[in-house]
């Protein structure tokens, strides 16, 4: 059946998707393609995403295609592709004393990682979200709807969502795609549960995008085509091309021992002098990198669920999808890719329920079971991602015990982790045997 709704025999399931971020929108598209009536409830007055770069692995693109081939087509049309034979390069940002030395691979390239299916396609977040939004039919999204709570009363055939404007909405299932500070998670686990609060990873980020020629002038030609990361003590600089290679996306990540000034906000205003301070004494290109930032910038606090992971992603007829379930630090670079995996799993499971064309109690039980299967299939994976992502942050910042400053060990560890990221069989836990024995 088409994206506009169910034209098959089974009655359409109604699904409330709370949150119109990357993963909520992708999930809604996948559900609608399966004839399920998904409606997005987004708290913002319109689509909002920052115009920062982010990227998807080859593995995530394969899952995306299964959700809906139109997603891959869209991504392909707006992203900068690194080719499959290319690699991620890790440079020593600290020791080189001259620009020449810093750009000389024989002296300053620490290592490259090559892993099949890791080839990233980089795009601009807001552009991808807008493109996905255009795939949705009229009426599939309600803006200005901030979820405050929901009732999942066994007596009712549907879950009842409450929004801050006093309005309500009913659906057979509620998917919380409401990000790291998820309200759905708070209702699902109870307001006192420790997993309701994201924890500060003690790392921060400063992000910007610059025209490619400016990036090349600052960092040399090595940055022009593929992702590369400059490592050193307590900080790193990640750059990769976006917008058909016309812009260079830049992110400085740094260890920060103190508490984040405002744990309820993701960003605080910052002066670029902070970046200058961070890289004082590093190799010349890094020491000067602050000049590419606007005078007044922002500092992102990096929060995740590593300290207090949710014990389950599902209860009754509600579940958590994307960052709401497993918000991660960005050091593995696959937070959204992991959400893509969630989206495919939940779409697959709900499609199976819909095809059974059940009603009443049988439908409610089937949905509850499906969401438990979802949680079992995703819980270990989500935790693995945020745990190993933190390790990778420490590795980049030369603070990770097992690898220290040894490029060989860093490379081995990274390739081991990347392999686990891109060779994971997302749908395997849904095989009948796995479901029956409860293994995931
Ligand atoms: P969000 O993007 O947070 O969207 C949640 C949505 O829900 C928002 O629109 C919000 O307004 C809405 N919402 C919140 N509360 C409510 C409510 N109560 N009611 C209604 N709506 C609500 N991942 C990658 O795979 N590749 C990358 O290159 C990458 N780079 C990253 C770089 C940085 C610096 C960071 C911080 C993260 C990066 N990630 C990356 C991770 C990625 O950004 C997230 O995993 C992804 O955005 C999660 O999407 P989401 O839709 O689950 O949540």
């Amino acid at each position: 059946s088409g994206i506009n709704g169910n034209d098959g025999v089974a009655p359409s399931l109604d699904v409330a998707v709370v949150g119109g971020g990357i993963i909520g929108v992708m999930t809604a598209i996948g559900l609608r393609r399966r004839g399920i009536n998904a409606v997005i409830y987004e708290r913002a007055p319109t689509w909002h995403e920052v115009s920062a770069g982010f990227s998807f692995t080859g593995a995530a693109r394969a899952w995306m295609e299964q959700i809906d081939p139109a997603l891959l087509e869209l991504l392909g049309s707006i992203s900068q592709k690194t080719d499959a034979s290319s690699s991620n390069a890790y440079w020593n940002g600290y020791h080189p004393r001259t620009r020449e030395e810093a750009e000389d691979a024989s002296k300053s390239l620490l290592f490259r990682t090559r892993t099949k299916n890791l080839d990233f396609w980089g795009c601009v977040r807001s552009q991808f979200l807008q493109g996905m939004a255009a795939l949705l039919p009229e009426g599939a999204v309600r803006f200005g709807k901030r979820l405050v709570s929901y009732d999942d009363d066994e007596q009712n055939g549907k879950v009842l969502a409450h929004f801050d404007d006093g309005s309500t909405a009913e659906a057979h299932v509620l998917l919380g795609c409401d990000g790291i500070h998820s309200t759905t998670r708070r209702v699902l686990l109870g307001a006192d549960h420790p997993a309701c609060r994201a924890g500060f990873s003690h790392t921060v980020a400063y992000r910007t995008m610059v025209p490619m020629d400016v990036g090349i002038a600052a960092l040399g030609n090595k940055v022009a085509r593929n992702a590369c990361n400059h490592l050193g003590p307590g900080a790193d600089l990640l750059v990769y091309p976006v917008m058909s290679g016309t812009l260079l996306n830049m992110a400085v990540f740094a260890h920060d021992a103190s508490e984040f000034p405002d744990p309820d906000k993701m960003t605080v205003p910052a002066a670029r002098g902070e970046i200058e301070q961070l890289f004082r004494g590093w190799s010349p290109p890094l020491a000067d990198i602050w000049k590419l930032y606007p005078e007044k910038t922002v500092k992102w606090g990096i929060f995740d669920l590593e300290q207090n992971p949710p014990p389950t992603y599902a209860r009754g007829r509600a579940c958590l999808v994307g960052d709401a379930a497993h918000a991660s630090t960005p050091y593995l670079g696959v937070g959204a890719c992991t959400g893509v995996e969630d989206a495919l799993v939940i779409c697959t499971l709900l499609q199976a329920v819909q095809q059974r064309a059940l009603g009443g109690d049988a439908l409610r039980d089937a949905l509850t079971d499906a969401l438990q299967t979802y949680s079992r299939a995703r819980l270990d994976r989500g935790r693995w991602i945020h745990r190993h992502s933190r390790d990778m942050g420490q590795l980049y910042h030369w603070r990770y015990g097992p690898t220290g400053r040894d490029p060989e060990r860093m490379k081995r560890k990274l390739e081991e982790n990347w392999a686990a990221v891109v060779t994971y069989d997302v749908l395997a836990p849904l095989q009948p045997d796995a479901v029956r024995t409860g293994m995931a």
Side-chain angles (χ1 to χ4, degrees):
S1 61
I3 197 170
N4 290 310
N6 181 23
D7 51 20
V9 284
S12 183
L13 280 178
D14 295 325
V15 177
V17 174
V18 178
I22 299 284
I23 300 305
V25 175
M26 191 177 291
T27 305
I29 288 171
L31 291 172
R32 286 195 162 254
R33 177 156 175 272
R34 288 159 177 79
I36 294 169
N37 179 34
V39 176
I40 298 169
Y41 298 91
E42 165 58 47
R43 68 179 168 189
T46 180
W47 299 115
H48 72 119
E49 251 299 358
V50 289
S51 62
F54 81 154
S55 57
F56 292 96
T57 62
R61 295 197 299 276
W63 307 126
M64 213 182 274
E65 190 173 20
Q66 289 193 47
I67 295 170
D68 189 334
L71 292 169
L72 189 61
E73 210 173 295
L74 165 67
L75 185 67
S77 72
I78 60 166
S79 56
Q80 173 72 15
K81 305 173 182 70
T82 54
D83 67 76
S85 61
S86 73
S87 56
N88 295 310
Y90 297 83
W91 293 80
N92 188 333
Y94 185 63
H95 286 116
R97 289 298 95 200
T98 62
R99 291 193 68 90
E100 293 67 37
E101 206 185 314
E103 290 176 29
D104 181 346
S106 71
K107 297 200 173 106
S108 303
L109 180 67
L110 293 170
F111 56 90
R112 289 181 185 277
T113 53
R114 281 194 179 76
T115 306
K116 193 168 175 287
N117 272 339
L118 189 61
D119 52 310
F120 283 101
W121 285 9
C123 68
V124 175
R125 303 177 66 108
S126 48
Q127 209 186 3
F128 188 47
L129 188 72
Q130 293 287 349
M132 285 199 294
L135 296 173
L136 286 167
E138 192 100 359
V141 53
R142 313 273 154 79
F143 289 110
K145 298 287 176 193
R146 186 170 70 83
L147 183 83
V148 285
S149 69
Y150 65 83
D151 301 318
D152 181 12
D153 188 336
E154 290 237 333
Q155 311 309 313
N156 292 340
K158 290 192 170 177
V159 183
L160 187 64
H162 298 272
F163 301 103
D164 69 342
D165 61 358
S167 65
T168 59
E170 283 191 330
H172 294 108
V173 174
L174 183 144
L175 306 182
C177 305
D178 43 356
I180 186 165
H181 303 296
S182 169
T183 301
T184 310
R185 189 169 69 237
R186 207 172 62 226
V187 180
L188 194 144
L189 297 174
D192 297 331
H193 197 285
C196 293
R197 285 193 80 81
F200 184 43
S201 68
H202 286 284
T203 57
V204 295
Y206 305 85
R207 302 153 76 179
T208 191
M209 289 195 287
V210 296
M212 183 53 81
D213 56 333
V214 174
I216 291 176
L219 292 160
N221 240 318
K222 69 196 176 199
V223 302
R225 274 170 46 79
N226 292 308
C228 78
N229 207 334
H230 305 75
L231 312 184
D236 72 295
L237 168 70
L238 172 70
V239 299
Y240 55 86
V242 291
M243 284 275 190
S244 315
T246 55
L247 295 178
L248 188 65
N249 185 65
M250 307 188 18
V252 167
F253 298 98
H255 173 69
D256 184 349
S258 52
E259 289 309 316
F260 197 66
D262 186 348
D264 291 324
K265 290 217 178 79
M266 313 265 278
T267 60
V268 291
R272 68 180 180 180
E274 291 183 21
I275 303 167
E276 183 183 10
Q277 200 67 31
L278 270 176
F279 290 123
R280 187 157 287 164
W282 286 48
S283 74
L286 275 287
D288 282 342
I289 208 71
W290 59 275
K291 293 176 184 162
L292 270 49
Y293 280 75
E295 196 91 40
K296 290 198 184 336
T297 177
V298 295
K299 172 159 70 180
W300 294 65
I302 311 275
F303 290 76
D304 68 3
L305 292 174
E306 174 56 17
Q307 262 161 323
N308 299 305
T312 178
Y313 293 163
R315 182 160 296 162
R317 291 168 293 181
C319 73
L320 307 172
V321 178
D323 273 18
H326 44 64
S328 165
T329 57
Y331 303 111
L332 268 176
V334 295
C337 296
T338 312
V340 174
E341 298 176 2
D342 298 342
L344 177 60
V345 171
I346 198 68
C347 285
T348 305
L349 287 164
L350 291 181
Q351 179 178 27
V353 174
Q354 158 130 318
Q355 281 166 348
R356 289 165 65 192
L358 304 165
D361 290 352
L363 174 60
R364 193 194 59 229
D365 292 348
L367 288 170
T368 305
D369 285 354
L371 298 197
Q372 285 304 316
T373 303
Y374 166 79
S375 180
R376 277 196 303 273
R378 300 301 304 153
L379 200 58
D380 287 349
R381 175 70 163 171
R383 288 181 179 180
W384 191 95
I385 296 290
H386 50 68
R387 186 168 61 248
H388 286 79
S389 187
R390 275 213 187 191
D391 289 350
M392 291 310 88
Q394 299 229 327
L395 180 150
Y396 293 154
H397 298 163
W398 295 357
R399 299 170 43 83
Y400 184 58
T403 53
R405 297 185 175 198
D406 179 346
E408 268 309 307
R409 285 195 208 167
M410 286 189 224
K411 175 180 160 72
R412 224 176 305 130
K413 186 79 210 160
L414 266 173
E415 287 188 341
E416 198 181 294
N417 284 345
W418 286 128
V421 166
V422 296
T423 59
Y424 182 75
D425 188 347
V426 174
L427 294 178
L430 306 189
Q431 297 310 309
D433 285 350
V435 173
R436 224 179 2 254
T437 58
M439 68 174 241

